[in-house]
Amino acid sequence: MSESATWVASRIQDMENLHGTGLEQYLQGLTRNPRTREAQVAVEIRLYRMNRLLREWIYGTNPDSSASRDKYSLLLMHLVREVREIGFGSKETASAITSVLISLGFSDYIDNLVVPGSADDRALSFPFVKLVKSKTKTPIYEFMRVQEHPIVWQLQFFGQFMDRSMDSQADARVPFKPDAWQREVLDAIDQNMSLLVVGQCFIPDSEVEQSFMYL
């Protein structure tokens, strides 16, 4: 076992005796340790957090309530997104995250959100909770499935975590960094092209005034 793997296993063993605020404070403290900048370490810590959330949900009070489903699905998907951004994957991490997505009803997004296994398929230092039946590959805990369409759920609960980058770049024509489509609109105005504007629009007054000059 590598030095990093030994370090992670030791930290996880410590966390098994922590709960609630104590666990959250310990996890927060780990983020300040340089080892957590290693992709493999960062992913395993997040998977452990995911595992603890799942256990808390399954064995907690009213696990099938909408409040529980909304709370835990959001926390779990936030961690899934973080793991995807880190970009490290192994056979076990891919299997764990795939089982979470199946359980939440997000099977259609597995290819986009799961990092494939790499050559380094070291086992996790803890047993990840079983969420999917071995033979049928169907969820064990049906109450975990979100009730909304995945897109509706994302807009309703996951908006603050959505990637809002749309190729924003500085442009002297406006006092903010316009997205690619906004720069295309500005280019069209500069070329005296016609535009159909529906609803609120970012087009500055100077550009509108310029357009009227050609009427």
Side-chain angles (χ1 to χ4, degrees):
M1 182 180 292
S2 68
E3 187 176 343
S4 293
T6 301
W7 182 86
V8 172
S10 177
R11 301 291 87 75
I12 288 176
Q13 186 175 4
D14 291 341
M15 287 188 283
E16 279 296 298
N17 299 316
L18 298 175
H19 304 276
T21 303
L23 175 61
E24 295 301 328
Q25 291 176 344
Y26 192 94
L27 284 164
Q28 187 63 34
L30 286 181
T31 62
R32 295 190 290 271
N33 191 299
R35 284 192 183 276
T36 60
R37 300 192 190 105
E38 298 178 25
Q40 189 168 354
V41 172
V43 166
E44 183 148 1
I45 288 174
R46 284 163 176 77
L47 281 175
Y48 178 75
R49 176 65 181 128
M50 207 179 294
N51 193 61
R52 289 294 296 267
L53 286 170
L54 287 163
R55 285 159 49 186
E56 184 180 299
W57 187 3
I58 293 168
Y59 301 112
T61 305
N62 299 322
D64 56 348
S65 69
S66 59
S68 292
R69 185 164 47 251
D70 293 345
K71 171 186 174 181
Y72 289 106
S73 62
L74 175 59
L75 292 172
L76 289 165
M77 286 305 296
H78 181 41
L79 290 166
V80 168
R81 180 176 181 269
E82 287 188 354
V83 171
R84 182 69 183 86
E85 290 177 345
I86 292 169
F88 173 84
S90 68
K91 183 178 179 180
E92 286 210 20
T93 61
S95 175
I97 294 177
T98 295
S99 70
V100 170
L101 293 173
I102 290 174
S103 296
L104 295 179
F106 296 153
S107 298
D108 290 344
Y109 303 94
I110 289 174
D111 289 343
N112 292 328
L113 293 173
V114 177
V115 180
S118 64
D120 183 0
D121 275 338
R122 176 177 64 82
L124 294 173
S125 56
F126 62 92
F128 197 84
V129 62
K130 184 175 182 179
L131 299 174
V132 176
K133 298 174 183 176
S134 301
K135 291 185 177 180
T136 62
K137 302 302 179 183
T138 55
I140 294 175
Y141 305 101
E142 291 291 345
F143 60 78
M144 290 185 176
R145 185 181 184 86
V146 300
Q147 301 304 297
E148 302 84 1
H149 185 281
I151 294 177
V152 174
W153 178 90
Q154 185 178 25
L155 292 172
Q156 185 174 356
F157 298 105
F158 210 66
Q160 61 180 315
F161 303 117
M162 292 173 67
D163 183 4
R164 300 177 186 276
S165 174
M166 298 182 70
D167 191 26
S168 300
Q169 297 180 22
D171 192 299
R173 293 170 291 184
V174 289
F176 60 91
K177 290 185 177 181
D179 294 334
W181 70 270
Q182 291 173 317
R183 294 196 302 277
E184 290 179 7
V185 170
L186 293 170
D187 291 341
I189 292 174
D190 289 345
Q191 296 171 31
N192 301 325
M193 297 173 65
S194 298
L195 295 170
L196 173 62
V197 179
V198 179
Q200 294 182 338
C201 184
F202 76 96
I203 299 175
D205 293 340
S206 59
E207 299 290 350
V208 175
E209 184 177 330
Q210 175 184 330
S211 298
F212 278 115
M213 291 175 60
Y214 295 96
L215 293 178

